[in-house]
């Protein structure tokens, strides 16, 4: 089992502030995915990063894949209440994904 | 609407009951998954079906029994469960790609409570 550790576990910030969530592992992955899960729903894919050092931007969200393809970060600029949710990273290996425990983000209006 | 439908959304059962969770995907994918989600723990992969063939059984107790009659339907049969089995059970599907599982499309989950 490939272990992914996410930090922090919980994050509560005011609307307009920035935040960063981290995903770390000792294993190398062929790709890494970030999902967001809202209460009462299943996780929904935000982005997939494949190449070491890759940076992807999705509006106010910036995703980075570490050079060694073992870690990743998610940065949100000027967070909004709609960004509230559980952020999950998942490392891909062959035909399956291994997930971290997630970071619960709360953005207060 | 993600194209993956799970029923029931909520289930309460005693330890001696037999029940089943159902999952259906309308996306034409070739792989389906069962995950267990417990509070403060990573999603645990339970079973993977690739073209209807089970390719992963992640040391899951035999009181959980999966069934995949075709590439669109997946069941999880439950029998003599324990209270610690209470969790959110998520079904997902994907189109397997050469470099990995691709994007997983999840259902909304079945919230199981074992009394």
């Amino acid at each position: 089992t490939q272990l992914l550790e996410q930090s922090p576990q919980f994050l509560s910030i005011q609307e307009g502030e920035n935040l960063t969530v981290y995903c770390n592992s000792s294993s190398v992955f062929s790709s890494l995915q970030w999902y967001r899960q809202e209460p009462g729903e299943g996780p929904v894919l935000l982005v997939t990063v494949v190449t070491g050092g890759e940076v992807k931007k999705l509006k106010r969200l910036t995703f980075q894949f570490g050079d060694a393809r073992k870690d990743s970060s998610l940065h949100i600029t000027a967070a909004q209440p709609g960004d509230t949710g559980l952020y999950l990273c998942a490392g891909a290996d062959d035909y399956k994904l291994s997930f971290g425990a997630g970071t619960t983000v709360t953005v207060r209006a | 609407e993600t194209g993956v439908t799970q029923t029931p959304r909520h289930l309460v059962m005693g330890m001696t009951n037999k029940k089943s969770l159902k999952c259906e995907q309308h996306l034409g994918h070739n792989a389906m998954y069962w995950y267990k989600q417990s509070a403060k723990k990573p999603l645990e992969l339970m079973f993977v079906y690739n073209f209807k063939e089970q390719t992963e059984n992640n040391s899951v107790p035999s009181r959980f029994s999966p069934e995949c009659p075709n590439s669109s339907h997946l069941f999880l049969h439950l029998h003599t469960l324990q209270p610690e089995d209470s969790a959110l059970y998520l079904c997902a599907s994907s189109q397997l790609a050469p470099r990995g599982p691709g994007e997983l499309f999840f259902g909304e989950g079945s919230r199981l409570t074992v009394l």
Side-chain angles (χ1 to χ4, degrees):
Chain A
T1 301
Q2 296 168 312
L3 187 64
L4 288 98
E5 295 188 358
Q6 290 190 241
S7 61
Q9 188 177 352
F10 298 97
L11 194 55
S12 180
I13 61 171
Q14 198 69 32
E15 181 177 4
E17 294 181 339
N18 302 332
L19 68 98
T20 302
V21 174
Y22 300 93
C23 175
N24 295 292
S25 175
S26 58
S27 301
V28 176
F29 296 102
S30 59
S31 65
L32 194 138
Q33 300 178 2
W34 283 94
Y35 289 79
R36 182 170 69 205
Q37 183 177 18
E38 298 185 21
E41 299 181 7
V44 176
L45 181 71
L46 295 173
V47 77
T48 300
V49 285
V50 178
T51 306
E54 182 177 3
V55 176
K56 278 193 174 179
K57 291 192 175 185
L58 186 67
K59 296 184 180 178
R60 294 175 293 99
L61 279 61
T62 301
F63 303 86
Q64 185 161 8
F65 201 13
D67 291 340
R69 305 207 321 274
K70 294 182 180 181
D71 55 83
S72 182
S73 64
L74 157 61
H75 182 79
I76 301 179
T77 303
Q80 299 177 1
D83 296 324
T84 293
L86 175 66
Y87 288 82
L88 299 161
C89 67
D93 178 26
D94 291 331
Y95 54 85
K96 59 185 179 182
L97 286 177
S98 299
F99 281 83
T103 295
T104 300
V105 171
T106 303
V107 182
R108 305 184 304 275
Chain B
E1 176 59 51
T2 63
V4 179
T5 304
Q6 289 188 241
T7 55
R9 292 293 309 279
H10 300 274
L11 179 62
V12 179
M13 59 186 289
M15 289 192 286
T16 58
N17 292 159
K18 286 185 180 181
K19 296 287 185 183
S20 296
L21 306 180
K22 179 183 176 183
C23 177
E24 183 175 359
Q25 59 103 354
H26 310 277
L27 301 168
H29 289 163
N30 57 14
M32 296 188 75
Y33 310 78
W34 279 117
Y35 280 89
K36 176 184 178 181
Q37 186 174 34
S38 305
K40 301 181 182 179
K41 295 175 66 176
L43 267 73
E44 299 173 46
L45 178 62
M46 300 175 71
F47 301 104
V48 181
Y49 277 82
N50 180 353
F51 290 103
K52 300 189 303 175
E53 298 296 323
Q54 186 181 129
T55 53
E56 183 83 10
N57 177 341
N58 217 19
S59 303
V60 179
S62 59
R63 57 186 184 269
F64 294 92
S65 173
E67 179 189 0
C68 188
N70 55 61
S71 58
S72 298
H73 293 85
L74 185 64
F75 295 89
L76 188 62
H77 303 300
L78 315 170
H79 178 49
T80 58
L81 295 190
Q82 305 298 310
E84 59 265 28
D85 296 322
S86 298
L88 182 67
Y89 289 84
L90 289 163
C91 172
S93 70
S94 76
Q95 186 66 23
L96 294 179
R99 298 191 66 168
E103 175 182 357
L104 262 61
F105 289 78
F106 286 88
E108 293 177 316
S110 294
R111 173 69 62 185
L112 173 67
T113 302
V114 182
L115 302 176

